[in-house]
Amino acid sequence: MKIIIGTYEKVKDRCLKIFPDGYYDFNFLYVSENERFREIDRFLYESRHLLRFKNEYTGNVVIDISEWNNKILNRYFDAFMFFVKDNLNRINCVFVINEKCNDELIAKLKSFFNIEQVLLQLPKEQPKVKIGFAINEEKEEKRSNVRS
């Protein structure tokens, strides 16, 4: 099982190389434990509408887990991962995420699957530029010593 980390465009290109015949793209939304969990039902419903005359989807699936990064991984996350694991005989699955993956998320995925990380080039953070003017403290100290 692979997890591809990168920008949307690069992840999309990589997924098309992995699955040249196409794939079902699913965005696994974050659900807190206070809400009703419907992600498995949504996965089944949406995947069935890709097919004609079949009750279950078989083929390639790309699951975006970006919303779960830096969030508490609750029992709903576990339930969905068990669902994916139970269906690996009929789906080829790849996980994608749009930013550097949280260590807790990687550890949790590794508890379910044999994970291989593919890190595509993420955009580098731009250095912060000060807008306006800034007073350099060293120059200010020299000015105050000269006046004394």
Side-chain angles (χ1 to χ4, degrees):
M1 180 88 53
K2 290 184 181 183
I3 181 165
I4 303 172
I5 304 166
T7 61
Y8 178 79
E9 295 83 16
K10 292 185 183 223
V11 166
K12 194 87 166 163
D13 289 341
R14 179 60 65 100
C15 290
L16 287 172
K17 289 177 185 175
I18 294 172
F19 303 128
D21 299 333
Y23 57 87
Y24 166 49
D25 193 9
F26 182 74
N27 186 16
F28 180 35
L29 302 174
Y30 176 77
V31 181
S32 71
E33 290 201 13
N34 300 335
E35 300 173 43
R36 186 166 180 213
F37 184 65
R38 297 180 181 173
E39 291 301 294
I40 294 173
D41 293 336
R42 190 170 67 85
F43 179 90
L44 294 171
Y45 178 80
E46 289 178 7
S47 65
R48 257 185 253 142
H49 282 79
L50 297 173
L51 307 170
R52 294 182 81 180
F53 311 115
K54 291 184 181 177
N55 285 333
E56 63 183 16
Y57 179 81
T58 57
N60 305 319
V61 178
V62 174
I63 300 174
D64 186 352
I65 57 172
S66 298
E67 283 199 21
W68 288 87
N69 199 20
N70 299 319
K71 301 257 174 86
I72 296 171
L73 302 177
N74 56 31
R75 60 190 171 109
Y76 294 150
F77 182 85
D78 293 346
F80 190 81
M81 291 305 135
F82 278 119
F83 167 75
V84 170
K85 189 173 183 174
D86 288 345
N87 289 294
L88 284 178
N89 59 346
R90 62 182 183 87
I91 62 172
N92 299 322
C93 187
V94 170
F95 294 109
V96 296
I97 193 163
N98 61 6
E99 59 187 19
K100 189 169 187 309
C101 212
N102 181 332
D103 291 337
E104 183 183 350
L105 181 60
I106 290 290
K108 186 65 110 167
L109 287 171
K110 284 183 178 181
S111 71
F112 289 100
F113 312 104
N114 187 11
I115 294 289
E116 172 192 346
Q117 289 187 53
V118 178
L119 181 62
L120 304 177
Q121 185 178 2
L122 292 170
K124 295 180 181 177
E125 287 187 25
Q126 298 293 329
K128 294 182 180 179
V129 178
K130 293 181 181 177
I131 298 175
F133 64 93
I135 298 174
N136 191 346
E137 292 178 10
E138 293 175 13
K139 288 182 182 178
E140 190 65 32
E141 286 177 15
K142 288 180 185 177
R143 286 182 189 167
S144 63
N145 289 339
V146 172
R147 291 179 189 167
S148 305

